[in-house]
């Protein structure tokens, strides 16, 4: 097992970027690394229990061709990849308190993939090493 931690702040709520975050998380978990994910703003909104499987679009830079590629890709949905990461490793997914307040969310509004709600200070208190931002 690798003792290093993979810390990831996810801000974007588009399917392509959420998929990228999930692939990184499952890859790190498979390598035995502890994974610490912090959901902010639009990423947090994508984790709502009533909308996690809806189409969240793609980043503007993907354009029409990129959107088509994402829609036609038959790989696992990003939420399934996060579930797999949690099954195989030590993966924590945390909702940003400020974003929760902004949207008026309660933890019960979120998919069970989200473990809890915490502030930025609590997230960084656990971080050990660099942070990846998506």
């Amino acid at each position: 097992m690798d003792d290093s931690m993979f810390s990831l702040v996810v801000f974007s709520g588009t399917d392509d970027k959420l998929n990228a975050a999930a692939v990184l998380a499952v890859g790190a978990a498979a390598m035995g690394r502890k994974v610490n994910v912090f959901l902010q703003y639009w990423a947090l909104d994508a984790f709502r229990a009533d909308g996690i499987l809806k189409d969240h679009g793609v980043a503007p830079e993907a354009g029409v061709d990129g959107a088509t590629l994402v829609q036609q890709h038959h790989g696992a949905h990003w939420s399934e990849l996060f579930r797999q990461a949690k099954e195989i490793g030590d993966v924590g997914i945390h909702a940003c308190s400020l974003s929760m307040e902004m949207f008026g969310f309660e933890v019960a509004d979120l998919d069970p993939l989200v473990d809890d709600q915490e502030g930025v200070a609590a997230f960084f208190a656990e971080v050990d090493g660099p942070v990846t931002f998506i």
Side-chain angles (χ1 to χ4, degrees):
M1 177 168 177
D2 188 340
D3 288 339
S4 62
M5 176 184 289
F6 176 60
S7 296
L8 180 62
V9 174
V10 187
F11 168 86
S12 177
T14 61
D15 284 330
D16 55 339
K17 292 186 179 183
L18 289 163
N19 191 67
V23 167
L24 292 172
V26 78
M31 301 279 303
R33 294 177 73 178
K34 181 176 180 179
V35 178
N36 191 23
V37 180
F38 191 65
L39 303 173
Q40 292 186 299
Y41 299 103
W42 312 119
L44 177 62
D45 186 58
F47 275 80
R48 284 178 311 153
D50 64 354
I52 196 164
L53 294 177
K54 79 174 198 170
D55 181 359
H56 295 92
V58 296
E61 61 268 23
V64 174
D65 291 339
T68 301
L69 285 172
V70 170
Q71 290 171 348
Q72 292 176 347
H73 186 259
H74 298 293
H77 188 266
W78 57 264
S79 62
E80 179 56 30
L81 294 175
F82 275 118
R83 277 185 184 72
Q84 289 174 12
K86 292 184 83 145
E87 288 173 5
I88 63 173
D90 184 1
V91 177
I93 301 178
H94 313 284
C96 171
S97 294
L98 182 63
S99 297
M100 292 285 284
E101 181 182 314
M102 183 184 85
F103 285 118
F105 292 167
E106 301 292 329
V107 174
D109 297 326
L110 304 174
D111 187 89
L113 280 169
V114 180
D115 296 305
D116 56 24
Q117 172 182 336
E118 66 183 24
V120 171
F123 172 75
F124 278 109
E126 190 176 353
V127 168
D128 179 20
V131 176
T132 300
F133 188 87
I134 295 179

